[in-house]
Amino acid sequence: MNPKLHPETISATPAGGAIALSTDGLLPHDRVDYWREMILRLFADVEIGAIPNPDFFGKVRSQKCESLRVSDVGAAAQAVNRRHLQPTCREEDRYFAVLMLEGTECLEQDGNRAVIGPGDFSIYDATRPHYLTFENNWRQIIVSVPRTCINQLVVNMECRTATRISTDSPVGRVMRSLLESIASQIGQFTPFEMA
């Protein structure tokens, strides 16, 4: 039986559009199912392979502003598989820009494969098949952006997914610092400030 997102398991923050979800406080055998439900509701319809155990955990702090969402996500080892070819709703029609903070992620999409570690950045299309592998505990910032916005700005964006981008350059360091600063303040921004 899948645990549902009951009001008592969701921590609402004072700022509009901000939520905090965690597997803390759940029985070990409920944690993986709850985590699947959280990811489905906040990000995309994916399959999650993870072994239920007392050490499994998952946490999300997220704030939405109009069509943009910034999330600080961390969890135990797992594999994520997206098989669907089309988004099931408008909320899924997005690119996910990922800044890795802890651990490593192997990301595969459209024949590309990138392994990203702390300080690395990558983008993938949430609507198309992709496969993510986290072999250990991990944490990352995910910026969810409508595909139409990025496709208008970047030519052939679909060919640029699942590639590793280092944040060691001056521009990369500024971007990383900005994303980390925003993520550290999730729940503190008003909707106007987020915009």
Side-chain angles (χ1 to χ4, degrees):
M1 183 170 112
N2 288 352
K4 300 298 179 195
L5 297 181
H6 296 293
E8 63 271 15
T9 61
I10 299 173
S11 171
T13 56
I19 60 171
L21 299 166
S22 174
T23 58
D24 290 349
L26 294 174
L27 295 173
H29 65 272
D30 289 336
R31 291 178 186 170
V32 173
D33 285 340
Y34 180 77
W35 180 245
R36 286 184 185 116
E37 185 80 11
M38 287 196 306
I39 297 304
L40 169 66
R41 292 194 185 198
L42 288 176
F43 298 104
D45 186 2
V46 295
E47 296 173 7
I48 295 180
I51 299 171
N53 67 66
D55 297 325
F56 183 86
F57 73 95
K59 296 181 181 184
V60 177
R61 289 184 315 108
S62 184
Q63 188 158 5
K64 186 174 181 180
C65 166
E66 297 175 6
S67 59
L68 185 76
R69 179 183 291 279
V70 178
S71 304
D72 185 334
V73 184
Q78 62 192 263
V80 178
N81 189 7
R82 166 81 180 200
R83 293 184 182 183
H84 302 291
L85 297 177
Q86 296 295 326
T88 57
C89 67
R90 198 180 107 201
E91 283 297 307
E92 283 189 4
D93 195 17
R94 304 184 170 277
Y95 285 110
F96 290 159
V98 176
L99 173 64
M100 207 69 194
L101 299 177
E102 299 171 14
T104 59
E105 173 184 13
C106 179
L107 167 59
E108 298 176 52
Q109 186 169 57
D110 296 331
N112 293 336
R113 182 178 185 272
V115 177
I116 61 173
D120 293 334
F121 185 81
S122 191
I123 296 175
Y124 63 97
D125 186 337
T127 66
R128 294 202 323 272
H130 58 267
Y131 190 72
L132 316 175
T133 308
F134 304 90
E135 293 188 1
N136 297 296
N137 294 354
W138 55 276
R139 183 172 161 240
Q140 60 186 205
I141 296 169
I142 301 173
V143 181
S144 173
V145 184
R147 285 193 318 146
T148 53
C149 294
I150 300 291
N151 287 340
Q152 291 172 0
L153 297 172
V154 181
V155 177
N156 296 325
M157 184 61 210
E158 62 278 0
C159 300
R160 301 169 189 261
T161 60
T163 56
R164 178 185 167 273
I165 302 165
S166 173
T167 56
D168 287 338
S169 67
V171 171
R173 284 192 292 273
V174 169
M175 180 187 69
R176 178 181 180 174
S177 177
L178 174 66
L179 290 177
E180 288 178 333
S181 296
I182 291 171
S184 72
Q185 299 300 311
I186 287 173
Q188 305 303 311
F189 296 109
T190 66
F192 178 77
E193 290 169 335
M194 277 294 285

